[in-house]
Amino acid sequence: QVQLVESGGGSVQAGESLTLSCQVSVHFDNGYCLGWFRQAPGKEREGVAGIDSNGMTVYADSVKGRFTISKDGTKNIVHLQMNSLKPEDSAMYYCAIDGFRPVSMVVALNGANAFGYWGQGTQVTVSS
């Protein structure tokens, strides 16, 4: 059973930073793709950033230049560094993982459907 645990959410002011972490129960470097997704009330779940076991990354246009995804293969943790946060970044953030696949799927339309294992989510609230 694959398990994911997110941490690092919180409430910040616009312009501030947060780092989310996703601890996974598998050896991430053994061929997986992990994505960070977010869902705000009344909105569809959207892909924010993804990384695969080879270190390939992808970002949604809305976060390029502000968010950075990285992995620590020895600890099986994937981080999402979020800088210059905006109120529109407020959402529940989830990490999800599945077998090796094109990392671009994270930000594709309905990309969330490609991932079978999900964490419980961590709330990010950005006030203006």
Side-chain angles (χ1 to χ4, degrees), residues 20-51:
L20 306 183
S21 298
C22 178
Q23 176 75 60
V24 302
S25 63
V26 295
H27 186 44
F28 185 71
D29 283 348
N30 278 356
Y32 292 93
C33 182
L34 184 143
W36 280 99
F37 297 82
R38 67 186 181 188
Q39 189 167 20
K43 294 190 175 181
E44 296 288 323
R45 188 169 296 191
E46 62 173 348
V48 175
I51 190 168

Side-chain angles (χ1 to χ4, degrees), residues 33-34 50-58 69 71 100 103:
C33 182
L34 184 143
I51 190 168
D52 66 20
S53 296
N54 293 329
M56 292 288 291
T57 60
V58 68
I69 190 170
K71 66 181 180 75
F100 199 80
V103 69

